[in-house]
Amino acid sequence: MSAWKAWERRVASVLGGKRRGPQTSEEGAGLSDIKDVPPITVEIPSMSVECKLLGAPGFMQILAATKQAEDAAEPGQMPIAFVKKKFTHDKDALVVIRLEVFEAFFSQCSS
């Protein structure tokens, strides 16, 4: 199994979901890498997850991963990128959400 597939499986395990595999929507758009994630809260019923395993992650690659999660998100899903540098421990991976998206979701929670 390739390293990135194994990374997706480990993230799915942490979230309580399953690795989706190479599926796309009917329109050909990408889907969340992880499916069947249990609800986070009532306000945030699910997540759109993008997993990246990168050799030398830079800001633009991390930003692109967050936007890919956003593009795959269905209404109400929180888009989150899980970014890990190759050959590092999983515990050092980053869980990333853009500030604009964070503000939008958490302003809903406080209303």
Side-chain angles (χ1 to χ4, degrees):
M1 174 186 327
S2 68
W4 62 269
K5 287 180 186 176
W7 170 234
E8 287 181 355
R9 288 185 201 283
R10 293 192 305 275
V11 171
S13 176
V14 167
L15 297 176
K18 298 175 187 161
R19 179 178 175 271
R20 181 178 303 279
Q23 294 178 343
T24 59
S25 69
E26 290 179 13
E27 296 81 34
L31 296 172
S32 175
D33 288 340
I34 310 300
K35 63 181 182 175
D36 303 331
V37 177
I40 304 166
T41 66
V42 173
E43 294 86 1
I44 305 169
S46 186
M47 291 185 240
S48 171
V49 177
E50 183 59 35
C51 299
K52 292 293 182 189
L53 180 62
L54 303 169
F59 178 79
M60 294 310 292
Q61 290 173 302
I62 295 169
L63 180 61
T66 62
K67 290 189 176 188
Q68 193 171 350
E70 290 170 20
D71 290 343
E74 296 176 7
Q77 285 187 317
M78 178 179 280
I80 300 178
F82 286 73
V83 182
K84 181 180 181 299
K85 184 177 181 189
K86 288 181 182 178
F87 310 112
T88 62
H89 294 285
D90 288 358
K91 66 182 180 180
D92 293 326
L94 301 176
V95 180
V96 186
I97 182 171
R98 289 188 320 111
L99 179 59
E100 177 182 39
V101 174
F102 178 87
E103 289 175 328
F105 269 91
F106 288 97
S107 68
Q108 291 173 7
C109 292
S110 64
S111 331

